[in-house]
Amino acid sequence: MAIKETYRTCQTTGLRVYKSAEDLIKINAVVAVVFLLVGGIFGIMVALTRWKAVHLLPADWFYLALTAHGINLLVVWIIFFEIAVMYFASAVLLGCRLATPRWAWTGFALMLIGAIITNVAVLQGDSSVMFTSYVPLMAAPSFYVGVILFAVGALIGTFVFFGTLVVAKNENTYEGSVPLVTFGATVAAIIAVFTIASGAIILIPTFLWSIGYVNHIDTLMYRTIWWAFGHSSQQINVAAHISIWYLIAAVTLGAKPLSEKVSRGAFLLYILFLQLASAHHLLVDPGISSEWKIFNTSYAIYLAVLGSMIHGLTVPGSIEAAQRKKGYTNGLFEWLRKAPWGNPAFSGMFISLILFGFLGGISGVVMGVEQINLIIHNTIYVPGHFHATVVAGTTLAFMAVTYLLIPLIFRREIMFPKMAQAQPYVFGLGVTGISLFMMGAGTMGVPRRHWDISQADAVLPYDFPGVANLLMGLNGMSALLAGLGGAMFILVAVGSIFFGKKIVDGAEKPVAEPEDAAVLSKYGSEEHPAVPGTLVLVAVFFITFVLYYYVNWKYLAEVWPLR
Amino acid sequence: MSVTPPKNKLWWNEPIPKSELVWVIIAFVWGLIMFFMMIYWHVYGEQNLSNEAYRITAEEFTVKTEAMVEKYQVREESGYPVVRPPPGEDIYMIARLWQWWPILELEKGQSYRLHLSSLDWMHGFSLQPVNINLQIHPDYEMVITITPTTTGEFGIVCNEYCGIGHHTMLGRMYVVDNGGA
């Protein structure tokens, strides 16, 4: 059966954009932003409650808001956006139609219905079980139903992505191998299948337990399998946002990978090893051997960390090579100083890269050391770490790429360009504060998921040091700043999409500088990469990493001996 | 570019730039060092979580804990028994909604086998300000050997969310100096 479908040719990139793919990218991205708004508001309420001087919400509302914050941001916002990214990386980058758009719409509908059902369950107040819903805490059955429906929808979206790769191959819409960004998105999709399967394996029995058909769920089994879902879903994000880093570097600067082989090899390490990370959550649980913990927590022998460290060189390296080719060759850092810092797509991407590496990456490896986890597990250091990865890393990268999608896919000009310019800096600064202050409070033992560390109504109260309260206050202020950055993003994105000036064919505003045309026409690996500035950045990163790693061993050595 | 197919279809035959190769090797070796650091610490370090754990029911654990309390209780505080078992003894602490029970009084420099389990939901044992954090499950009894090295009053915070009273779940532990034994 021949499938006829209309497409347009993008004036900027020359890519063929099919209507089915365009519509689905739009709707998934828009719904994602709506949930970003919902989850963000809950997040600000959470941070303001933990700020002792404000202590905004009563206890029951606090745990409700924390559950809603986690579900809406860690799952709903990110996965909706990732579906949009996957459709973009397949149908648009390969210039082909989307496979089975009807199934894609079905998946979208299931995700939306699931997200709404779970949100209603949480807002009704009897499902304040946190994002993790650890048994034997029981939520309303509809809470699990919503999550399961959402996961099924996401799985359908993932298979539409795989189907689109097949369509492109069969219809010969590209030659040779898929682009690196599509390759990275494929890695994300493969991890997504593993992730969603793990989620189904644990959440379906939990749902049956909540309606009385299963009488017992083992807590250790729950945590082991749930985290194969919960942690791996964050590894989808890593693969997705690193693909976006490459994408933005390519579109804004014409950057190409220093070496296709190395960058793709690094992505491949993710497929092979990232899934072992469930262990990060089980390092101080009973009944699991140290051998299992060491092997899994280190992704075999830190092979997935190796993948990320490689991208940490190749992403800025590709930017440096592209800039040097344009003539920014003075000194070590002219390429960086003269980078398009006023373009929010670029600045957002670069801030995401730096914060993810220095804050999220290093802290993640350190807290994942079997023994060091003893002084970190379930303290607020943990959310400090993952706000650096998921908010500064993933969310900021998604915001940055939105500034490209608005002209390319929505075909609107960016509204409030000055606000858009400032947005990544405001948001980045706010998240840096959130992350650092929570990590600092965590080293003083402040617990995560806790309504009141002053423990006013406890029989045996314990006083945390005053500095811990100060840090939690600073965290609240940083959350307000990040919230401002988030609001700016939503205003610019929603404003541009619905009210922005329409871009008509032939009059598209080029996203790449005109002189990039020469670079754009060449592709493949970089011929003669010399990236001294990047090597200096990487050396600074490595020294920071090693120092922070051993400082934490020192902290551990001061703790009471235990065996 | 990263958004177009590689121009060289045989991209896997291209040589790897030297700077990248060096970084890959450094990162790989660092991974090995970090991996063996955990094993090294099991041999030479003093802070390692034991692998000793048993399946147990809430009733069995309650019986064991109450037996200890009955045998070694020295006084009462805010309705909690304060228990001072002799050094080297097996000691027990119950986690339940929303208590750490009982209060333990230990001697500095002495080792104790501490048994921990939950009678209901999951809880988080967070000894402050020492900052030792353990996940406490129902139906699992975790056994660790601890040696307090500092004296004073210590708080036990619950750092696993366990319902609406979670923030009131606090326990206490005393460490006294018995002549530097």
Side-chain angles (χ1 to χ4, degrees), chain A residues 42-65:
Chain A
F42 282 117
I44 290 170
M45 292 198 282
V46 168
L48 290 182
T49 306
R50 298 215 60 168
W51 181 353
K52 199 175 168 185
V54 181
H55 210 58
L56 182 72
L57 299 175
D60 52 346
W61 275 93
F62 170 76
Y63 295 122
L64 185 156

Side-chain angles (χ1 to χ4, degrees), chain A residues 262 313, chain B residues 16-26:
Chain A
V262 171
L313 169 78
Chain B
I16 298 174
K18 201 173 155 200
S19 55
E20 272 187 280
L21 197 61
V22 169
W23 176 237
V24 171
I25 291 167
I26 291 174

Side-chain angles (χ1 to χ4, degrees), chain A residues 131-144:
Chain A
F131 163 62
T132 45
S133 57
Y134 289 143
V135 297
L137 270 174
M138 196 189 280
S142 60
F143 174 90
Y144 308 107

